[in-house]
Amino acid sequence: MTTTSSTSGRRSPRVPIVVTIIVLAALVIGFFIFASLYTDYAWFAQLGFQQVLTTRWIAGTLMFLAGFLGMAIPVFLSIGLAFRYRPVYAKLNSQLDRYQQVIEPLRRAVMIGIPVVLGIFAGLSTSGRWSMVLEYFNRTPFGKTDPQFGLDIGFYVFELPFWRSIVAYSSAVVLIAGLAALAACYLYGALRFGGREVRISRAARIQLAVTAALYIALQAVSLWLDQYAALTKSNSLITGAQYTEVNAVIPGREIMAGIAAIVAILFIVTAVIGRWRISIVGTGLLLVAAIVIEGIYPWIVQRLQVKPSERTYESAYIERNIKATRDAYGVSDVKEQNYDATTEASSGALAQDAQTTANIRLIDPKIVSDTFSQLQQYRQYYQFPDELDVDRYDVKGETEDTVIAVRDIDLDGLSSAANTQYNRAFVYTHGYGVTAAFGNQRASDGKPVFLESGIPSNGALGDFQQRVYFGETSPAYSIVGAPKGSKDVELDYPSGSDDDNGGNATTTYSGDGGPSVGNFFNRLVYAAKFQSEQVLLSDAVNKDSQILYDRDPITRVQKVAPYLTVDSDAYPAIVDHRIQWVVDGYTTSDAYPYSQSQSLSDSIAGSESSAYRTDQVNYIRNSVKATVDAYTGKVTLYAWDTKDPVLKTWEKIFPTSVKSVSSMSAELLDHVRYPTDLFKVQRSILGTYHVTNANSFYSGDDAWNTPQEPTTTGSTDTDASAADTSTTTNALGAQTTTTASKANLQDPYYLTMKVPGQETAYNLYTTYIPQQSAGANNRNVLTGYLAADSDAGGAGKGKKASGYGKLTLLTMPKTDNIPGPAQVQNLFNSDTTVSQELNILKRGNSTVKQGNLLTLPVGGGFLYVQPVYVQSTSSGSYPLLQKVLVAFGDKIAFEDTLDEALNSLFGGDSGAAAGDSDASGSGSDSGSSGSGSSDSGSDSGSGSTGGSTGSGTTDNDALQQALSDANDALQDRQQAYADNDLVAAAEADKRLQEAIEAATAAEDGS
């Protein structure tokens, strides 16, 4: 007794210890869950979008409960009925007896536990479908009908997904409940197998037969709905039902639905009269009918009827696809016009396009980030983005295209000594100001001409709040704010005058940008959220402190508008004396009948689209324009496309979240532009769907592609480089570094220009070349030119400009051979005179970067313009614009400025002045000479006319002689290699090197 008592006494404390650990663990987990929910609500409430969060919570919770109960109750009832009506005196075999002995002590736990576990999984699965359910109950008609069934498009977008999900979920529930009942019936003897005999109790027969009837009835409904789903199925030719689907598959599914309904009735009969034979035979006939009606018959129709005359049979359905696709992607109103472009560069040809010529952008936003950084960054804890943004501003009464960038904070730039948790959370909290340069101008030394610069910023953009607390690279969180009279803690900007702070100005945040952490409880939950004791313990946290987080503009818009697909690029604009981030939001769907489906990410990235992507869409609208205040973080959503039924539906769900476009200020509208991502999707569609004739569409004889980024060479459609830079080899065998797009297709560009037949406007454009398979003898000629009017302002507050969003498609005559971007780039790279000039530019360990190749429809043809930058390989160097390449037809020119290049190209007088005319004759740091114009169609490829030289020298005979000697040596070397004469080749190489050294010496002395 003593021993037993002692053992019991030793073991009894262990039970409460285990329980205590479990309880504490549950409390900790519960607290972290609570902290996550609480901080989410605080964030949304601070922005005024708490209704969005609460609606999501309520809808998600109700969906979870519906999914949980919808699964748990039927499964529980199914098991319970099987147990309740089990045969009491059934004779069981020894194995079943053992099963019952094991399960019986746990029977209640199993009967409750299995439905609960299955219900939890079902609830988690259904809770994520809250948006589909809300769309169904708030659906808005499209006002357009499909061509097959005559139903409103809204049925396919909102209703069909809902009903198919209901049927699929119900089928899963009935199937699982049936399997659970089957197992219970077998375990308790209601279903017994003896040799060739199967015995089943009356109660089990009724339960299993009714369950089977329900399941097959649901399949009948599913088959009926599948006929509508055929209109959004992607086929090898088009998206949507083709001849075989319309005439064989859809009628077959109607027949199959009827057969399935009859079989379901047969199972009910079985439940009543007790004969399984009729229901089993019916099921077998259903399977045979499925094979014949849904498999064999459609195959016969497709193979023997459609294939031999496919174009004839599919013509009507291709027309359906063309019309629906153009409507769904918003390109049905594109204005197409023939443009018989000339290739002759005649004197004065640009006189009618003087405004376009003056606005040609030379500053490449993908190259000059390092230049901005070296000239305007000021401190290592600031940074500019890798790719700058393009916008336009009114400067002295003139609208100027500008390259603009926010000077954002960069905590990774802090020194190891300064990179403390305190500094990261309380001191380095924000970026400061913007830097903007004229897009069409350059200084005499090749630097950008800034219209807004310095820190604090000053210039043509006027006074504005310069602090950037909400930017693309803002810290994960910052704690800001303090009572009036407190000492400033935050570093504001380097002023060079405040000795108490090491030459830095300091500040205290005075906006309302984040939830309060002024009380202990809020500090505790945010310390848990960010797993940082600084939030809880630091003496820098006070009663007025706020915590700023989720600060990236795109993240903020995505969170408050979860129904939107957000554009990949947010751009800054100075609006009403504040820095505002402008973000475009899209409503999309993959259920628009007959509209061609494509991967959204692949279309935007410019890569080969895959049918296996999970982001397939076949409907898109730029339905929302959003702004994010860089100082307060305030998010404002504006309903941009007020006719979009998807947006109207979500406005019913979140009625207070989106404002009318009428509340947009005139200044904001001046900076709204046509979004790049939408334009990329539309250009991808129009590459094929500019063809509206079904026969031509089928044959593919006029299909187009967007050209690859021309500064990336040696890539194919399938293996294009994704690097930012690549290396090319010019005519002298020298290597040149060129800037490339991260995607393998050429990016569209914003330019203020005059599209033929229209007024000058801020446009977004792209080009097309013939669609052709990789590895073929590709023809890189220009076939089309697509431009979108991006000017939304000018009409006053709350009014979009009438021309905004107009798409214009210039089509070239099929007999024309207008050089495409790749051909023009090849002309530049292979011209020997250009190569000689580039070699001189590269002397002294410098590299040459060829910028974006712009294409402009001016002078009755197409003008190509490419800036050429030079950058030293030494530390701290940055690209400088030193030369400009231009082409028109097969003629090119290479000069110090665009103005000189155009005059050289167009017979000495282009008829218009470029934006960099003030830099003419100033030359470059390298003192390189201009090559004049050249006709690349000539045998030598040079054809130099002399032109103007770099540092103001007009006729340097020694330099010209050296260049001529270099050209002769190059030709001799090429001929020597062709003759396999290595000795002659070596001699030519020596003369080539001597000529280049002579050219360098001549220019240094010029």
Side-chain angles (χ1 to χ4, degrees):
M1 292 294 294
T2 304
T3 303
T4 303
S5 175
S6 175
T7 303
S8 176
R10 288 196 303 270
R11 291 181 178 177
S12 59
R14 295 181 183 178
V15 176
I17 290 175
V18 173
V19 172
T20 302
I21 292 174
I22 293 173
V23 170
L24 287 176
L27 288 175
V28 170
I29 294 172
F31 175 74
F32 276 99
I33 294 173
F34 169 79
S36 176
L37 297 175
Y38 179 84
T39 55
D40 279 349
Y41 183 83
W43 189 91
F44 277 87
Q46 191 276 328
L47 281 174
F49 284 89
Q50 62 266 39
Q51 185 206 17
V52 173
L53 184 64
T54 55
T55 299
R56 290 185 61 180
W57 280 355
I58 293 170
T61 302
L62 292 177
M63 287 295 296
F64 175 85
L65 291 175
F68 175 83
L69 297 175
M71 176 64 78
I73 292 176
V75 173
F76 176 78
L77 291 176
S78 184
I79 296 174
L81 287 172
F83 175 78
R84 180 182 179 87
Y85 294 103
R86 70 192 184 282
V88 179
Y89 302 106
K91 184 178 180 181
L92 305 178
N93 58 42
S94 59
Q95 188 174 10
L96 287 178
D97 281 336
R98 287 195 299 271
Y99 287 160
Q100 285 192 10
Q101 290 174 9
V102 172
I103 292 176
E104 189 60 30
L106 304 173
R107 178 173 54 81
R108 289 185 177 275
V110 170
M111 290 182 65
I112 296 174
I114 289 178
V116 168
V117 171
L118 292 173
I120 290 173
F121 281 109
L124 293 174
S125 175
T126 56
S127 63
R129 309 301 296 274
W130 64 271
S131 59
M132 178 193 66
V133 175
L134 290 180
E135 282 185 306
Y136 172 78
F137 286 107
N138 295 275
R139 60 191 180 275
T140 302
F142 273 64
K144 297 179 180 179
T145 58
D146 78 89
Q148 179 64 33
F149 299 103
L151 298 173
D152 187 87
I153 303 299
F155 168 79
Y156 298 91
V157 174
F158 302 123
E159 298 181 48
L160 184 59
F162 174 80
W163 288 116
R164 294 188 78 193
S165 296
I166 291 291
V167 171
Y169 173 79
S170 301
S171 297
V173 170
V174 173
L175 180 62
I176 293 173
L179 292 174
L182 189 66
C185 288
Y186 176 73
L187 182 64
Y188 288 101
L191 178 64
R192 286 173 289 169
F193 299 92
R196 298 171 61 182
E197 185 181 17
V198 178
R199 292 182 178 274
I200 184 169
S201 68
R202 181 175 180 275
R205 183 195 74 220
I206 294 174
Q207 182 178 356
L208 294 178
V210 169
T211 302
L214 286 174
Y215 183 78
I216 294 178
L218 287 169
Q219 303 320 299
V221 176
S222 179
L223 286 166
W224 186 264
L225 295 176
D226 283 349
Q227 66 178 321
Y228 303 112
L231 270 61
T232 57
K233 179 186 176 183
S234 294
N235 297 305
S236 58
L237 184 60
I238 60 171
T239 295
Q242 298 173 214
Y243 182 89
T244 301
E245 282 79 14
V246 170
N247 294 279
V249 176
I250 290 176
R253 286 176 179 168
E254 293 176 350
I255 295 171
M256 287 297 301
I259 296 174
I262 293 173
V263 173
I265 295 173
L266 293 179
F267 273 98
I268 297 296
V269 172
T270 295
V272 175
I273 68 175
R275 295 186 178 180
W276 286 95
R277 182 173 299 175
I278 56 174
S279 56
I280 292 174
V281 171
T283 303
L285 291 175
L286 178 63
L287 295 175
V288 172
I291 294 172
V292 174
I293 296 174
E294 291 204 333
I296 297 175
Y297 179 63
W299 182 86
I300 291 173
V301 171
Q302 180 67 24
R303 187 74 176 179
L304 303 182
Q305 185 177 359
V306 176
K307 274 292 183 183
S309 305
E310 189 172 45
R311 191 174 77 169
T312 302
Y313 280 101
E314 303 293 9
S315 178
Y317 306 101
I318 292 174
E319 289 179 357
R320 291 180 177 183
N321 174 255
I322 292 172
K323 184 179 185 304
T325 301
R326 289 168 66 93
D327 285 341
Y329 287 93
V331 297
S332 58
D333 295 330
V334 60
K335 181 183 178 183
E336 297 185 33
Q337 61 187 68
N338 293 325
Y339 186 58
D340 191 2
T342 181
T343 57
E344 297 297 325
S346 58
S347 179
L350 301 184
Q352 299 298 318
D353 299 289
Q355 192 169 358
T356 298
T357 305
N359 285 292
I360 295 175
R361 180 170 49 78
L362 295 173
I363 304 301
D364 186 346
K366 293 182 180 179
I367 289 183
V368 297
S369 177
D370 287 344
T371 307
F372 272 48
S373 296
Q374 291 296 326
L375 300 178
Q376 292 291 318
Q377 181 173 309
Y378 292 103
R379 291 292 187 271
Q380 76 279 6
Y381 48 78
Y382 290 131
Q383 67 176 328
F384 291 107
D386 292 335
E387 183 174 336
L388 310 186
D389 289 293
V390 178
D391 203 349
R392 67 275 191 210
Y393 286 88
D394 186 273
V395 180
K396 297 180 180 180
E398 296 290 335
T399 300
E400 299 282 357
D401 287 7
T402 61
V403 176
I404 187 171
V406 166
R407 187 184 293 105
D408 215 338
I409 195 73
D410 179 20
L411 295 184
D412 292 336
L414 294 174
S415 64
S416 56
N419 194 8
T420 65
Q421 193 171 359
Y422 181 90
N423 279 343
R424 295 175 72 92
F426 301 102
V427 178
Y428 296 94
T429 58
H430 61 281
Y432 202 94
V434 300
T435 297
F438 290 96
N440 61 343
Q441 297 182 29
R442 48 155 286 187
S444 60
D445 57 359
K447 296 176 183 176
V449 178
F450 294 105
L451 58 95
E452 187 77 20
S453 60
I455 186 166
S457 302
N458 62 85
L461 303 186
D463 296 329
F464 58 94
Q465 173 57 260
Q466 299 193 28
R467 298 175 181 91
V468 182
Y469 283 88
F470 296 85
E472 294 176 306
T473 60
S474 296
Y477 74 92
S478 295
I479 298 177
V480 297
K484 291 183 178 180
S486 301
K487 183 179 179 180
D488 295 335
V489 174
E490 301 173 55
L491 186 146
D492 203 18
Y493 60 88
S495 66
S497 59
D498 191 344
D499 295 334
D500 292 338
N501 292 285
N504 296 317
T506 55
T507 189
T508 297
Y509 183 71
S510 60
D512 182 18
S516 170
V517 284
N519 59 68
F520 177 81
F521 178 76
N522 281 11
R523 293 187 198 179
L524 182 63
V525 294
Y526 277 104
K529 178 180 178 66
F530 292 105
Q531 300 180 24
S532 171
E533 71 281 0
Q534 289 280 336
V535 181
L536 184 64
L537 304 177
S538 176
D539 60 1
V541 184
N542 55 73
K543 66 182 181 66
D544 290 334
S545 290
Q546 305 171 43
I547 186 166
L548 313 181
Y549 60 98
D550 286 339
R551 299 158 75 177
D552 176 60
I554 291 177
T555 300
R556 294 178 78 80
V557 173
Q558 187 69 82
K559 288 187 69 172
V560 303
Y563 52 91
L564 293 177
T565 299
V566 181
D567 194 276
S568 58
D569 179 37
Y571 62 95
I574 309 302
V575 177
D576 302 321
H577 306 291
R578 308 187 75 85
I579 301 174
Q580 297 279 0
W581 294 97
V582 183
V583 183
D584 286 284
Y586 311 111
T587 48
T588 62
S589 174
D590 61 353
Y592 198 101
Y594 273 107
S595 176
Q596 192 67 25
S597 179
Q598 63 177 354
S599 166
L600 186 62
S601 60
D602 285 343
S603 297
I604 292 171
S607 55
E608 189 73 19
S609 184
S610 171
Y612 299 102
R613 297 285 191 187
T614 58
D615 62 343
Q616 297 287 320
V617 300
N618 64 3
Y619 172 88
I620 186 169
R621 290 291 185 271
N622 179 206
S623 52
V624 171
K625 299 285 187 182
T627 61
V628 178
D629 192 295
Y631 185 72
T632 66
K634 178 182 178 182
V635 179
T636 308
L637 307 177
Y638 298 98
W640 189 251
D641 189 343
T642 56
K643 296 180 180 179
D644 176 30
V646 180
L647 178 61
K648 289 181 179 180
T649 295
W650 283 104
E651 285 183 300
K652 296 176 186 177
I653 299 170
F654 304 130
T656 61
S657 63
V658 183
K659 292 185 176 182
S660 169
V661 70
S662 61
S663 60
M664 295 181 76
S665 70
E667 191 171 355
L668 174 57
L669 284 166
D670 286 340
H671 295 281
V672 167
R673 68 189 190 188
Y674 201 82
T676 305
D677 284 358
L678 174 63
F679 189 70
K680 287 180 178 179
V681 172
Q682 290 175 326
R683 77 172 179 181
S684 175
I685 285 296
L686 280 173
T688 305
Y689 286 88
H690 70 278
V691 177
T692 56
N693 179 273
N695 290 337
S696 178
F697 183 96
Y698 177 85
S699 63
D701 60 353
D702 195 24
W704 302 339
N705 269 342
T706 303
Q708 291 184 0
E709 172 58 44
T711 56
T712 303
T713 60
S715 60
T716 66
D717 289 341
T718 57
D719 64 356
S721 173
D724 287 329
T725 59
S726 62
T727 302
T728 60
T729 303
N730 61 27
L732 289 179
Q735 291 184 333
T736 300
T737 302
T738 56
T739 299
S741 170
K742 290 184 179 180
N744 60 337
L745 298 185
Q746 187 179 29
D747 281 338
Y749 296 113
Y750 291 98
L751 287 174
T752 296
M753 64 181 180
K754 181 179 181 181
V755 177
Q758 300 180 23
E759 297 298 322
T760 301
Y762 189 63
N763 280 277
L764 179 62
Y765 83 86
T766 190
T767 56
Y768 289 108
I769 60 174
Q771 190 179 101
Q772 47 217 326
S773 60
N777 186 17
N778 294 344
R779 295 177 63 247
N780 198 287
V781 296
L782 213 59
T783 56
Y785 187 92
L786 178 65
D789 189 327
S790 297
D791 264 334
K797 179 182 178 181
K799 297 179 181 179
K800 291 188 283 187
S802 58
Y804 173 85
K806 179 188 293 184
L807 296 173
T808 302
L809 180 61
L810 304 180
T811 58
M812 312 306 124
K814 294 182 179 180
T815 56
D816 282 3
N817 284 301
I818 308 299
Q823 282 190 4
V824 171
Q825 190 68 59
N826 184 60
L827 291 177
F828 291 158
N829 292 341
S830 61
D831 184 88
T832 54
T833 304
V834 172
S835 299
Q836 293 164 1
E837 299 291 336
L838 292 178
N839 274 304
I840 295 174
L841 290 173
K842 286 195 287 287
R843 77 180 191 279
N845 296 323
S846 294
T847 59
V848 173
K849 294 184 177 182
Q850 292 171 244
N852 44 208
L853 182 60
L854 306 178
T855 310
L856 297 99
V858 296
F862 284 99
L863 172 68
Y864 288 91
V865 178
Q866 183 176 60
V868 177
Y869 290 81
V870 178
Q871 181 175 3
S872 170
T873 57
S874 60
S875 175
S877 64
Y878 50 89
L880 293 172
L881 176 58
Q882 302 290 28
K883 296 293 236 181
V884 180
L885 281 161
V886 294
F888 194 93
D890 60 356
K891 294 182 180 297
I892 68 172
F894 187 38
E895 299 290 347
D896 292 334
T897 67
L898 174 60
D899 196 61
E900 293 172 349
L902 293 178
N903 287 332
S904 178
L905 185 65
F906 289 94
D909 181 12
S910 67
D916 65 344
S917 57
D918 291 342
S920 296
S922 59
S924 61
D925 289 346
S926 63
S928 60
S929 69
S931 67
S933 64
S934 64
D935 185 347
S936 296
S938 62
D939 293 338
S940 68
S942 60
S944 176
T945 62
S948 62
T949 59
S951 47
T953 306
T954 57
D955 289 305
N956 189 328
D957 294 337
L959 177 59
Q960 294 302 321
Q961 182 60 49
L963 294 176
S964 177
D965 292 343
N967 184 48
D968 291 341
L970 176 65
Q971 301 300 321
D972 292 343
R973 187 184 70 166
Q974 292 174 341
Q975 185 61 45
Y977 280 121
D979 297 338
N980 200 26
D981 188 347
L982 299 182
V983 175
E987 292 176 351
D989 278 333
K990 182 179 180 181
R991 288 191 289 112
L992 177 61
Q993 183 62 34
E994 291 173 350
I996 292 175
E997 292 174 357
T1000 302
E1003 189 170 35
D1004 287 340
S1006 62

